[in-house]
Amino acid sequence: MTAAVFFGCAFIAFGPALALYVFTIATDPLRVIFLIAGAFFWLVSLLLSSVFWYLVRVITDNRDGPIQKYLLIFGVLLSVCFQELFRTASEGLKNINPEETTPSMRLLAYVSGLGFGIMSGVFSFVNTLSDSLGPGTVGIHGDSPQFFLNSAFMTLVIIMLHVFWGIVFFDGCEKKKWHTLLTVLLTHLLVSTQTFLTPYYGVNLVSAYIIMVVMGIWAFFVAGGSCRSLKLCLLCQDKDFLLYNQRSR
């Protein structure tokens, strides 16, 4: 991978997330704390799923063949379940606010979701870089000329999906809408396991973007958005930008 390809892929993958951080989080210390804590919870979920996956490999005596693929699928499913479990735990971040007022659940969901997404994207991008160094094939289905570009766009999708999942998930927890939590879990599982379902990276990317658009629209309306507010925002006439609204529900 040349330097130009590397920086191009990195910009595609992390450019929007960096912009969100700079314009909506960086100037507020409390939001930075929420972001770091969300990233930490994602790391803890990865650690636990890695330990379980390692124990299963030891029990199976590291046998080769199809069982390794099933173990990999099992590790992914376990990781997703742990991530959603710790997304629930991150709801307790609202108690660290040093002020008397409770932070907005919408704001907490957005910031912690971005923390989840950035950390997940970093690990995904690091894995892609390790594949580029070899030896062996790139990707589980072999080499692809567009593998690194597809990986960059997929990393972007994962980051944004974690933001949208966080907003929808927190709303489901607050309103006790269990079908909403189940929908978040199932779409997370689908996006994470679709690589095992089809060897065509382009198909996986398109389906992930469709899920991202659907979840984005859902998160927008859950967060209090409306067609009128979207129009005012696009016309730069909305003085109460949604992400800066810190009023509690």
Side-chain angles (χ1 to χ4, degrees):
M1 181 188 295
T2 64
V5 174
F6 168 76
F7 286 110
C9 292
F11 178 79
I12 292 173
F14 297 101
L18 181 61
L20 288 175
Y21 172 78
V22 170
F23 291 108
T24 64
I25 298 176
T27 57
D28 190 327
L30 185 59
R31 299 182 190 183
V32 175
I33 294 175
F34 288 159
L35 182 79
I36 296 174
F40 172 77
F41 280 126
W42 189 92
L43 285 174
V44 173
S45 69
L46 177 66
L47 174 63
L48 292 178
S49 59
S50 299
V51 170
F52 274 90
W53 183 71
Y54 174 77
L55 292 177
V56 172
R57 282 180 58 88
V58 172
I59 293 173
T60 58
D61 200 21
N62 291 323
R63 288 192 292 253
D64 295 328
I67 191 173
Q68 294 302 318
K69 181 178 180 180
Y70 295 129
L71 287 178
L72 183 59
I73 296 175
F74 169 77
V76 171
L77 296 178
L78 195 62
S79 177
V80 170
C81 292
F82 273 123
Q83 288 178 44
E84 296 306 326
L85 177 63
F86 278 92
R87 199 189 301 276
T88 304
S90 65
E91 186 179 358
L93 292 174
K94 62 183 179 180
N95 297 322
I96 68 175
N97 186 12
E99 300 177 354
E100 295 182 358
T101 57
T102 304
S104 168
M105 286 297 294
R106 300 170 183 173
L107 177 62
L108 175 58
Y110 159 70
V111 176
S112 63
L114 185 59
F116 265 66
I118 290 177
M119 190 55 63
S120 176
V122 168
F123 270 79
S124 176
F125 201 68
V126 168
N127 288 334
T128 301
L129 291 179
S130 65
D131 283 342
S132 69
L133 298 177
T137 59
V138 177
I140 66 174
H141 297 294
D143 295 306
S144 171
Q146 296 83 31
F147 176 76
F148 297 110
L149 188 60
N150 287 337
S151 297
F153 279 106
M154 183 61 76
T155 300
L156 170 61
V157 170
I158 292 299
I159 293 174
M160 299 308 299
L161 272 173
H162 271 293
V163 176
F164 301 147
W165 282 330
I167 295 173
V168 174
F169 190 91
F170 274 52
D171 181 74
C173 288
E174 186 180 16
K175 298 180 180 179
K176 295 184 176 5
K177 295 181 178 180
W178 309 123
H179 65 280
T180 298
L181 308 185
L182 181 62
T183 301
V184 172
L185 176 62
L186 292 178
T187 53
H188 194 171
L189 287 171
L190 177 60
V191 173
S192 298
T193 59
Q194 62 182 347
T195 305
F196 301 106
L197 303 178
T198 172
Y200 302 106
Y201 296 114
V203 174
N204 297 332
L205 190 62
V206 171
S207 61
Y209 265 89
I210 292 175
I211 295 175
M212 183 191 72
V213 171
V214 173
M215 294 303 301
I217 295 174
W218 189 357
F220 174 75
F221 286 105
V222 162
S226 64
C227 294
R228 179 179 178 275
S229 64
L230 178 61
K231 179 181 178 181
L232 292 176
C233 182
L234 293 176
L235 296 176
C236 299
Q237 297 177 355
D238 189 1
K239 297 181 180 180
D240 188 19
F241 187 58
L242 182 60
L243 296 179
Y244 285 93
N245 182 6
Q246 301 188 47
R247 291 175 296 179
S248 301
R249 288 187 174 187

PDB file of all heavy atoms in Angstrom, residues 124-148:
ATOM      1  N   SER A 124     -10.630  -1.667  12.979  1.00  0.00           N
ATOM      2  CA  SER A 124     -10.896  -2.168  11.635  1.00  0.00           C
ATOM      3  C   SER A 124      -9.818  -1.722  10.658  1.00  0.00           C
ATOM      4  O   SER A 124      -9.340  -2.507   9.830  1.00  0.00           O
ATOM      5  CB  SER A 124     -12.271  -1.682  11.167  1.00  0.00           C
ATOM      6  OG  SER A 124     -12.509  -2.070   9.831  1.00  0.00           O
ATOM      7  N   PHE A 125      -9.409  -0.456  10.775  1.00  0.00           N
ATOM      8  CA  PHE A 125      -8.396   0.077   9.862  1.00  0.00           C
ATOM      9  C   PHE A 125      -7.032  -0.551  10.137  1.00  0.00           C
ATOM     10  O   PHE A 125      -6.271  -0.828   9.209  1.00  0.00           O
ATOM     11  CB  PHE A 125      -8.317   1.595   9.999  1.00  0.00           C
ATOM     12  CG  PHE A 125      -7.720   2.288   8.813  1.00  0.00           C
ATOM     13  CD1 PHE A 125      -8.387   2.309   7.603  1.00  0.00           C
ATOM     14  CD2 PHE A 125      -6.483   2.901   8.892  1.00  0.00           C
ATOM     15  CE1 PHE A 125      -7.845   2.946   6.497  1.00  0.00           C
ATOM     16  CE2 PHE A 125      -5.929   3.529   7.796  1.00  0.00           C
ATOM     17  CZ  PHE A 125      -6.610   3.554   6.597  1.00  0.00           C
ATOM     18  N   VAL A 126      -6.718  -0.787  11.400  1.00  0.00           N
ATOM     19  CA  VAL A 126      -5.453  -1.439  11.750  1.00  0.00           C
ATOM     20  C   VAL A 126      -5.408  -2.854  11.190  1.00  0.00           C
ATOM     21  O   VAL A 126      -4.376  -3.306  10.671  1.00  0.00           O
ATOM     22  CB  VAL A 126      -5.247  -1.445  13.279  1.00  0.00           C
ATOM     23  CG1 VAL A 126      -4.095  -2.367  13.671  1.00  0.00           C
ATOM     24  CG2 VAL A 126      -4.978  -0.029  13.777  1.00  0.00           C
ATOM     25  N   ASN A 127      -6.532  -3.573  11.263  1.00  0.00           N
ATOM     26  CA  ASN A 127      -6.580  -4.914  10.692  1.00  0.00           C
ATOM     27  C   ASN A 127      -6.362  -4.891   9.192  1.00  0.00           C
ATOM     28  O   ASN A 127      -5.715  -5.775   8.626  1.00  0.00           O
ATOM     29  CB  ASN A 127      -7.929  -5.575  11.009  1.00  0.00           C
ATOM     30  CG  ASN A 127      -8.051  -5.955  12.464  1.00  0.00           C
ATOM     31  OD1 ASN A 127      -7.058  -6.188  13.144  1.00  0.00           O
ATOM     32  ND2 ASN A 127      -9.275  -6.015  12.959  1.00  0.00           N
ATOM     33  N   THR A 128      -6.910  -3.871   8.523  1.00  0.00           N
ATOM     34  CA  THR A 128      -6.709  -3.732   7.087  1.00  0.00           C
ATOM     35  C   THR A 128      -5.244  -3.489   6.771  1.00  0.00           C
ATOM     36  O   THR A 128      -4.687  -4.061   5.818  1.00  0.00           O
ATOM     37  CB  THR A 128      -7.557  -2.573   6.538  1.00  0.00           C
ATOM     38  OG1 THR A 128      -8.937  -2.817   6.812  1.00  0.00           O
ATOM     39  CG2 THR A 128      -7.367  -2.429   5.039  1.00  0.00           C
ATOM     40  N   LEU A 129      -4.581  -2.653   7.555  1.00  0.00           N
ATOM     41  CA  LEU A 129      -3.160  -2.396   7.352  1.00  0.00           C
ATOM     42  C   LEU A 129      -2.335  -3.656   7.558  1.00  0.00           C
ATOM     43  O   LEU A 129      -1.386  -3.918   6.816  1.00  0.00           O
ATOM     44  CB  LEU A 129      -2.681  -1.294   8.303  1.00  0.00           C
ATOM     45  CG  LEU A 129      -3.201   0.117   8.046  1.00  0.00           C
ATOM     46  CD1 LEU A 129      -2.651   1.076   9.094  1.00  0.00           C
ATOM     47  CD2 LEU A 129      -2.796   0.592   6.652  1.00  0.00           C
ATOM     48  N   SER A 130      -2.694  -4.449   8.568  1.00  0.00           N
ATOM     49  CA  SER A 130      -1.952  -5.687   8.804  1.00  0.00           C
ATOM     50  C   SER A 130      -2.123  -6.660   7.652  1.00  0.00           C
ATOM     51  O   SER A 130      -1.195  -7.386   7.288  1.00  0.00           O
ATOM     52  CB  SER A 130      -2.407  -6.325  10.120  1.00  0.00           C
ATOM     53  OG  SER A 130      -3.751  -6.739  10.043  1.00  0.00           O
ATOM     54  N   ASP A 131      -3.321  -6.679   7.026  1.00  0.00           N
ATOM     55  CA  ASP A 131      -3.537  -7.515   5.850  1.00  0.00           C
ATOM     56  C   ASP A 131      -2.654  -7.083   4.689  1.00  0.00           C
ATOM     57  O   ASP A 131      -2.179  -7.905   3.908  1.00  0.00           O
ATOM     58  CB  ASP A 131      -5.007  -7.470   5.415  1.00  0.00           C
ATOM     59  CG  ASP A 131      -5.894  -8.332   6.301  1.00  0.00           C
ATOM     60  OD1 ASP A 131      -5.342  -9.198   7.009  1.00  0.00           O
ATOM     61  OD2 ASP A 131      -7.114  -8.122   6.288  1.00  0.00           O
ATOM     62  N   SER A 132      -2.446  -5.770   4.573  1.00  0.00           N
ATOM     63  CA  SER A 132      -1.657  -5.254   3.450  1.00  0.00           C
ATOM     64  C   SER A 132      -0.193  -5.644   3.544  1.00  0.00           C
ATOM     65  O   SER A 132       0.519  -5.659   2.534  1.00  0.00           O
ATOM     66  CB  SER A 132      -1.775  -3.728   3.395  1.00  0.00           C
ATOM     67  OG  SER A 132      -1.111  -3.123   4.499  1.00  0.00           O
ATOM     68  N   LEU A 133       0.264  -5.969   4.753  1.00  0.00           N
ATOM     69  CA  LEU A 133       1.669  -6.337   4.938  1.00  0.00           C
ATOM     70  C   LEU A 133       1.935  -7.810   4.654  1.00  0.00           C
ATOM     71  O   LEU A 133       3.085  -8.212   4.501  1.00  0.00           O
ATOM     72  CB  LEU A 133       2.105  -6.007   6.376  1.00  0.00           C
ATOM     73  CG  LEU A 133       2.028  -4.518   6.769  1.00  0.00           C
ATOM     74  CD1 LEU A 133       2.408  -4.343   8.228  1.00  0.00           C
ATOM     75  CD2 LEU A 133       2.927  -3.681   5.869  1.00  0.00           C
ATOM     76  N   GLY A 134       0.844  -8.609   4.608  1.00  0.00           N
ATOM     77  CA  GLY A 134       1.016 -10.021   4.329  1.00  0.00           C
ATOM     78  C   GLY A 134       1.585 -10.757   5.525  1.00  0.00           C
ATOM     79  O   GLY A 134       1.721 -10.191   6.607  1.00  0.00           O
ATOM     80  N   PRO A 135       1.979 -12.037   5.312  1.00  0.00           N
ATOM     81  CA  PRO A 135       1.811 -12.814   4.082  1.00  0.00           C
ATOM     82  C   PRO A 135       0.386 -13.339   3.960  1.00  0.00           C
ATOM     83  O   PRO A 135      -0.405 -13.196   4.883  1.00  0.00           O
ATOM     84  CB  PRO A 135       2.810 -13.963   4.275  1.00  0.00           C
ATOM     85  CG  PRO A 135       2.819 -14.177   5.760  1.00  0.00           C
ATOM     86  CD  PRO A 135       2.658 -12.805   6.378  1.00  0.00           C
ATOM     87  N   GLY A 136       0.096 -13.987   2.839  1.00  0.00           N
ATOM     88  CA  GLY A 136      -1.216 -14.554   2.632  1.00  0.00           C
ATOM     89  C   GLY A 136      -2.103 -13.640   1.812  1.00  0.00           C
ATOM     90  O   GLY A 136      -1.673 -12.624   1.264  1.00  0.00           O
ATOM     91  N   THR A 137      -3.370 -14.004   1.729  1.00  0.00           N
ATOM     92  CA  THR A 137      -4.319 -13.240   0.943  1.00  0.00           C
ATOM     93  C   THR A 137      -4.892 -12.100   1.766  1.00  0.00           C
ATOM     94  O   THR A 137      -4.828 -12.100   2.988  1.00  0.00           O
ATOM     95  CB  THR A 137      -5.470 -14.144   0.469  1.00  0.00           C
ATOM     96  OG1 THR A 137      -6.117 -14.699   1.628  1.00  0.00           O
ATOM     97  CG2 THR A 137      -4.943 -15.277  -0.401  1.00  0.00           C
ATOM     98  N   VAL A 138      -5.456 -11.140   1.069  1.00  0.00           N
ATOM     99  CA  VAL A 138      -6.092  -9.997   1.719  1.00  0.00           C
ATOM    100  C   VAL A 138      -7.586 -10.240   1.776  1.00  0.00           C
ATOM    101  O   VAL A 138      -8.235 -10.423   0.758  1.00  0.00           O
ATOM    102  CB  VAL A 138      -5.793  -8.694   0.947  1.00  0.00           C
ATOM    103  CG1 VAL A 138      -6.521  -7.527   1.585  1.00  0.00           C
ATOM    104  CG2 VAL A 138      -4.295  -8.452   0.895  1.00  0.00           C
ATOM    105  N   GLY A 139      -8.143 -10.236   2.985  1.00  0.00           N
ATOM    106  CA  GLY A 139      -9.556 -10.517   3.148  1.00  0.00           C
ATOM    107  C   GLY A 139      -9.811 -12.008   3.256  1.00  0.00           C
ATOM    108  O   GLY A 139      -8.993 -12.829   2.833  1.00  0.00           O
ATOM    109  N   ILE A 140     -10.942 -12.390   3.795  1.00  0.00           N
ATOM    110  CA  ILE A 140     -11.214 -13.805   4.018  1.00  0.00           C
ATOM    111  C   ILE A 140     -11.596 -14.522   2.735  1.00  0.00           C
ATOM    112  O   ILE A 140     -11.610 -15.751   2.700  1.00  0.00           O
ATOM    113  CB  ILE A 140     -12.334 -13.990   5.071  1.00  0.00           C
ATOM    114  CG1 ILE A 140     -13.664 -13.449   4.537  1.00  0.00           C
ATOM    115  CG2 ILE A 140     -11.962 -13.347   6.374  1.00  0.00           C
ATOM    116  CD1 ILE A 140     -14.825 -13.739   5.461  1.00  0.00           C
ATOM    117  N   HIS A 141     -11.910 -13.793   1.658  1.00  0.00           N
ATOM    118  CA  HIS A 141     -12.276 -14.410   0.387  1.00  0.00           C
ATOM    119  C   HIS A 141     -11.186 -14.228  -0.662  1.00  0.00           C
ATOM    120  O   HIS A 141     -11.425 -14.419  -1.847  1.00  0.00           O
ATOM    121  CB  HIS A 141     -13.599 -13.828  -0.135  1.00  0.00           C
ATOM    122  CG  HIS A 141     -14.761 -14.090   0.767  1.00  0.00           C
ATOM    123  ND1 HIS A 141     -15.259 -15.353   1.014  1.00  0.00           N
ATOM    124  CD2 HIS A 141     -15.514 -13.234   1.518  1.00  0.00           C
ATOM    125  CE1 HIS A 141     -16.274 -15.281   1.844  1.00  0.00           C
ATOM    126  NE2 HIS A 141     -16.447 -14.007   2.179  1.00  0.00           N
ATOM    127  N   GLY A 142      -9.979 -13.838  -0.249  1.00  0.00           N
ATOM    128  CA  GLY A 142      -8.896 -13.670  -1.213  1.00  0.00           C
ATOM    129  C   GLY A 142      -8.716 -12.224  -1.610  1.00  0.00           C
ATOM    130  O   GLY A 142      -9.407 -11.322  -1.161  1.00  0.00           O
ATOM    131  N   ASP A 143      -7.730 -12.002  -2.496  1.00  0.00           N
ATOM    132  CA  ASP A 143      -7.381 -10.649  -2.903  1.00  0.00           C
ATOM    133  C   ASP A 143      -8.474 -10.001  -3.739  1.00  0.00           C
ATOM    134  O   ASP A 143      -9.202 -10.649  -4.481  1.00  0.00           O
ATOM    135  CB  ASP A 143      -6.078 -10.662  -3.721  1.00  0.00           C
ATOM    136  CG  ASP A 143      -4.890 -11.113  -2.894  1.00  0.00           C
ATOM    137  OD1 ASP A 143      -4.670 -10.516  -1.835  1.00  0.00           O
ATOM    138  OD2 ASP A 143      -4.207 -12.064  -3.302  1.00  0.00           O
ATOM    139  N   SER A 144      -8.581  -8.686  -3.596  1.00  0.00           N
ATOM    140  CA  SER A 144      -9.511  -7.903  -4.397  1.00  0.00           C
ATOM    141  C   SER A 144      -8.868  -6.549  -4.678  1.00  0.00           C
ATOM    142  O   SER A 144      -8.347  -5.921  -3.758  1.00  0.00           O
ATOM    143  CB  SER A 144     -10.835  -7.700  -3.647  1.00  0.00           C
ATOM    144  OG  SER A 144     -11.661  -6.771  -4.334  1.00  0.00           O
ATOM    145  N   PRO A 145      -8.885  -6.095  -5.933  1.00  0.00           N
ATOM    146  CA  PRO A 145      -8.251  -4.812  -6.242  1.00  0.00           C
ATOM    147  C   PRO A 145      -8.864  -3.644  -5.475  1.00  0.00           C
ATOM    148  O   PRO A 145      -8.204  -2.647  -5.216  1.00  0.00           O
ATOM    149  CB  PRO A 145      -8.496  -4.671  -7.763  1.00  0.00           C
ATOM    150  CG  PRO A 145      -8.750  -6.060  -8.244  1.00  0.00           C
ATOM    151  CD  PRO A 145      -9.431  -6.767  -7.112  1.00  0.00           C
ATOM    152  N   GLN A 146     -10.134  -3.764  -5.113  1.00  0.00           N
ATOM    153  CA  GLN A 146     -10.811  -2.678  -4.408  1.00  0.00           C
ATOM    154  C   GLN A 146     -10.926  -2.938  -2.905  1.00  0.00           C
ATOM    155  O   GLN A 146     -11.692  -2.267  -2.214  1.00  0.00           O
ATOM    156  CB  GLN A 146     -12.223  -2.481  -4.980  1.00  0.00           C
ATOM    157  CG  GLN A 146     -12.277  -2.033  -6.420  1.00  0.00           C
ATOM    158  CD  GLN A 146     -12.146  -3.185  -7.392  1.00  0.00           C
ATOM    159  OE1 GLN A 146     -12.557  -4.294  -7.092  1.00  0.00           O
ATOM    160  NE2 GLN A 146     -11.570  -2.915  -8.559  1.00  0.00           N
ATOM    161  N   PHE A 147     -10.162  -3.917  -2.399  1.00  0.00           N
ATOM    162  CA  PHE A 147     -10.330  -4.307  -0.998  1.00  0.00           C
ATOM    163  C   PHE A 147     -10.084  -3.137  -0.052  1.00  0.00           C
ATOM    164  O   PHE A 147     -10.865  -2.882   0.857  1.00  0.00           O
ATOM    165  CB  PHE A 147      -9.401  -5.472  -0.651  1.00  0.00           C
ATOM    166  CG  PHE A 147      -9.443  -5.857   0.805  1.00  0.00           C
ATOM    167  CD1 PHE A 147     -10.512  -6.574   1.312  1.00  0.00           C
ATOM    168  CD2 PHE A 147      -8.425  -5.483   1.675  1.00  0.00           C
ATOM    169  CE1 PHE A 147     -10.561  -6.920   2.655  1.00  0.00           C
ATOM    170  CE2 PHE A 147      -8.469  -5.826   3.015  1.00  0.00           C
ATOM    171  CZ  PHE A 147      -9.543  -6.548   3.501  1.00  0.00           C
ATOM    172  N   PHE A 148      -8.971  -2.402  -0.248  1.00  0.00           N
ATOM    173  CA  PHE A 148      -8.622  -1.336   0.687  1.00  0.00           C
ATOM    174  C   PHE A 148      -9.599  -0.171   0.588  1.00  0.00           C
ATOM    175  O   PHE A 148      -9.964   0.428   1.601  1.00  0.00           O
ATOM    176  CB  PHE A 148      -7.188  -0.860   0.430  1.00  0.00           C
ATOM    177  CG  PHE A 148      -6.156  -1.922   0.669  1.00  0.00           C
ATOM    178  CD1 PHE A 148      -5.465  -2.490  -0.380  1.00  0.00           C
ATOM    179  CD2 PHE A 148      -5.916  -2.386   1.948  1.00  0.00           C
ATOM    180  CE1 PHE A 148      -4.531  -3.488  -0.153  1.00  0.00           C
ATOM    181  CE2 PHE A 148      -4.986  -3.379   2.189  1.00  0.00           C
ATOM    182  CZ  PHE A 148      -4.288  -3.941   1.125  1.00  0.00           C
TER     183      PHE A 148
END
